[in-house]
Amino acid sequence: SQQGEEDPQALSIQEGENATMNCSYKTSINNLQWYRQNSGRGLVHLILIRSNEREKHSGRLRVTLDTSKKSSSLLITASRAADTASYFCATAAEGTYKYIFGTGTRLKVLA
Amino acid sequence: DTGVSQDPRHKITKRGQNVTFRCDPISEHNRLYWYRQTLGQGPEFLTYFQNEAQLEKSRLLSDRFSAERPKGSFSTLEIQRTEQGDSAMYLCASSLYGDEQYFGPGTRLTVT
């Protein structure tokens, strides 16, 4: 079964709006990572948040981590058409490097 | 371009044939991962190396799948006696000390 599950499965917003997607996981983790995948392309690492961190920023990205709820959220502010992609969270149980990816959130930003 | 390369990019094979894929990671990265991805799904973990040692292997990997990383540099993934269900994108990624992974472009396998 998937360690991470993203929610929603699909999201459609207008350019300039913010996009929020969530990830839930099942076990204690060392870190949680978010990746982006454009259609037909490889995955690109966006941001990593460690288990002892609660919030992290990178440009227009903001990630939060709640280890008590085993959940994370990714916020993309002021979205652009170029942000249209699938977004995945990835986690590995503590003590392993067996990264499990969720099924992803498909984001569509309309110009 | 992340610096991770995979070869070939596309492979069409007939059911029952063996195929081998190659991954060249970023040179200083000590960890290398193989994943499989089907349409509409996230990458599915297959196996992971730290240097030349294969440390973890998914139960999804049947006896028909084998991976090597001789000398801790490039890696190969071999699938023997391919089945139609093996059709997927095979992704390789590398990282330094287990943090952010850099993915290659993938090898798309089609089994006819």
Side-chain angles (χ1 to χ4, degrees), chain B residues 23-88:
Chain B
C23 170
D24 285 90
I26 294 171
S27 59
E28 63 268 26
H29 283 184
N30 60 340
R31 297 177 192 267
L32 187 147
Y33 307 79
W34 284 99
Y35 296 90
R36 178 174 67 186
Q37 186 178 28
T38 53
L39 196 63
Q41 299 296 313
E44 191 172 39
F45 175 86
L46 292 178
T47 191
Y48 138 71
F49 292 85
Q50 180 172 311
N51 299 315
E52 67 274 11
Q54 186 175 22
L55 296 187
E56 295 197 62
K57 188 174 172 181
S58 169
R59 287 176 293 174
L60 296 168
L61 228 62
S62 69
D63 291 342
R64 297 185 298 108
F65 287 70
S66 63
E68 293 182 340
R69 193 184 182 197
K71 302 178 184 177
S73 56
F74 71 93
S75 176
T76 58
L77 177 69
E78 181 184 17
I79 308 174
Q80 296 183 326
R81 304 181 303 281
T82 52
E83 302 171 355
Q84 287 189 320
D86 297 331
S87 294

Side-chain angles (χ1 to χ4, degrees), chain A residues 22-57:
Chain A
N22 305 295
C23 168
S24 60
Y25 57 93
K26 297 178 181 175
T27 65
S28 296
I29 58 174
N30 291 320
N31 62 64
L32 185 144
Q33 304 180 33
W34 285 92
Y35 290 82
R36 183 187 72 221
Q37 186 175 36
N38 292 84
S39 181
R41 308 287 293 275
L43 284 90
V44 174
H45 182 268
L46 295 176
I47 195 164
L48 179 153
I49 186 165
R50 300 192 186 281
S51 59
N52 61 354
E53 297 176 308
R54 291 297 167 258
E55 187 171 315
K56 201 161 182 180
H57 297 253

Side-chain angles (χ1 to χ4, degrees), chain A residues 43-103:
Chain A
L43 284 90
V44 174
H45 182 268
L46 295 176
I47 195 164
L48 179 153
I49 186 165
R50 300 192 186 281
S51 59
N52 61 354
E53 297 176 308
R54 291 297 167 258
E55 187 171 315
K56 201 161 182 180
H57 297 253
S58 177
R60 295 183 296 112
L61 305 180
R62 173 178 165 249
V63 169
T64 61
L65 179 64
D66 187 335
T67 53
S68 66
K69 294 181 180 177
K70 293 186 170 56
S71 68
S72 173
S73 67
L74 171 67
L75 168 68
I76 304 173
T77 60
S79 62
R80 306 166 181 167
D83 295 328
T84 294
S86 290
Y87 291 81
F88 298 94
C89 66
T91 57
E94 253 180 0
T96 83
Y97 289 96
K98 180 182 174 181
Y99 279 92
I100 305 298
F101 285 73
T103 52

